[in-house]
């Protein structure tokens, strides 16, 4: 396939050329002053991106799933009670992970395309004894957006730690870690942060760090232990040499460049841009008669769309769109996998990318025997 196709899946995404250039530079020593400075700056920039001046960032080699496991491994001991606010595939994943770490897990579930309400969660937490609650900010399997602020407020009322899976949201959806009382939020480099895959990124509140420190048994997985990584991150932030495990030097150089773009754009402006582009692409889907999985716009993510295939169309559409030069994703939620497709629109995404994507989907729909008027979706983009 041509290298000039357009990658519009929910991560990895299209990256800024400046980020890719940083990745391709000569690999420095992990103790090189230039690298120490970049790592330290990336750590500081993460506090700005997560709106978390009091939190401790961790950046380690791995994917979003490793960041998820780092959260679970540090906060959970066998027998702890955890509540999963379940909105789909990635909520199921953290539920399974919590169980493997010995937690007693309760799920608050909603119908596919929706998310449990703060009132429902309040009722479950009121039964007592929960140590932590997890929220999937954007469930990438359904494009459902959870009301993190409201849900976190309920958990705080019950004195329960709040863990947010922000892998498909941080850098694209509003998230105010400190103001909303979130204890751990994590993401991965390849989604709305706009850096190639390979970095697990986690921010821990002082309370989350204290919880891990107060464990009666050390974290079994040494690579995931906050206590191992804390002095390393403190040293890099102070541009002092230190070593625990070799950092992915080039990826961290690239992350620093990418976070620089986020900070320069400003988080408010960036969230607003994602909201505007998402509104415009939603109008295009509607004009094309494509029905979204999320039940209403209040629970619709701005970072991606999940859309049912129209009658008579199946997963062949994804291939037909690829033939138009645009890469989109099929379904992921096990209950509905063959019935829908997904389009990512996060990070460096532009209006031009949406014009190209909507137009490719129009043409592919026609190629799949579904008549849509040429230009109808593109016109609706506004
Ligand atoms: C992508 C994703 C993950 C998993 O991240 P990987 O980097 O694929 O391990 C977890 N949660 C959500 C919400 C995601 O979108």
């Amino acid at each position: 396939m041509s290298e000039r196709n357009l990658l519009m899946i929910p991560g990895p995404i299209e990256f800024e050329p400046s980020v890719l250039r940083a990745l391709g530079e000569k690999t420095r020593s992990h103790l090189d002053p230039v690298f120490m400075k970049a790592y330290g700056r990336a750590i500081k920039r993460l506090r700005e991106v997560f709106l978390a001046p009091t939190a401790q960032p961790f950046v380690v080699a791995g994917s979003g799933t490793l960041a998820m496991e780092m959260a679970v491994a540090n906060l959970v001991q066998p027998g702890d009670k955890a509540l999963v606010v379940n909105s789909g595939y990635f909520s199921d994943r953290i539920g399974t992970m919590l169980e493997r770490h010995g937690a007693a897990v309760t799920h608050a579930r909603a119908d596919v395309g929706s998310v449990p309400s703060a009132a429902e969660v309040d009722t479950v937490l009121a039964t007592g004894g929960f140590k932590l609650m997890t929220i999937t900010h954007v469930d990438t399997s359904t494009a459902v957006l959870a009301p993190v602020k409201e849900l976190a407020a309920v958990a705080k009322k019950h004195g329960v730690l709040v863990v947010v899976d922000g892998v498909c949201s941080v850098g694209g959806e509003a998230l105010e870690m400190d103001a909303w009382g979130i204890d751990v939020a994590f993401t991965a480099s390849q989604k709305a942060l706009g850096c190639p895959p390979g970095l697990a990124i986690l921010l821990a509140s002082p309370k989350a760090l204290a919880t891990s420190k107060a464990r009666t048994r050390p974290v079994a997985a040494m690579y995931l232990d906050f206590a191992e990584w804390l002095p390393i991150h403190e040293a890099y932030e102070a541009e002092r040499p230190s070593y625990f495990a070799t950092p992915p030097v080039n990826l961290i150089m690239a992350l620093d460049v990418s976070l620089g773009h986020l900070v320069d754009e400003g988080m408010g402006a960036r969230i607003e841009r994602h909201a505007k582009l998402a509104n415009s692409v939603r109008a295009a889907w509607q004009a094309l008669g494509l029905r979204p999985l999320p039940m209403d716009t209040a629970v619709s993510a701005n970072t991606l769309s999940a859309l049912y295939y129209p009658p008579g169309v199946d997963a062949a559409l994804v291939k037909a769109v690829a033939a138009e030069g645009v890469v989109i994703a099929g379904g992921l939620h096990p209950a509905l996998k063959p019935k829908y497709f997904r389009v990512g629109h996060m990070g460096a995404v532009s209006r031009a990318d949406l014009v190209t994507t909507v137009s490719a989907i129009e043409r592919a729909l026609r190629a799949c025997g579904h008549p849509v008027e040429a230009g109808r979706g593109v016109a609706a983009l506004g």
Side-chain angles (χ1 to χ4, degrees), residues 239-264:
E239 298 174 39
R240 265 190 285 111
S242 68
Y243 169 75
F244 165 54
T246 308
V249 171
N250 292 54
L251 273 170
I252 289 173
M253 295 298 290
L255 178 73
D256 176 45
V257 173
S258 159
L259 293 175
H261 293 315
L262 270 80
V263 169
D264 287 349

Side-chain angles (χ1 to χ4, degrees), residues 15 125 143 234 252 302 314 346 349:
F15 302 121
L125 290 178
E234 285 173 345
I252 289 173
N302 290 331
D314 61 15
M346 62 184 108
V349 65

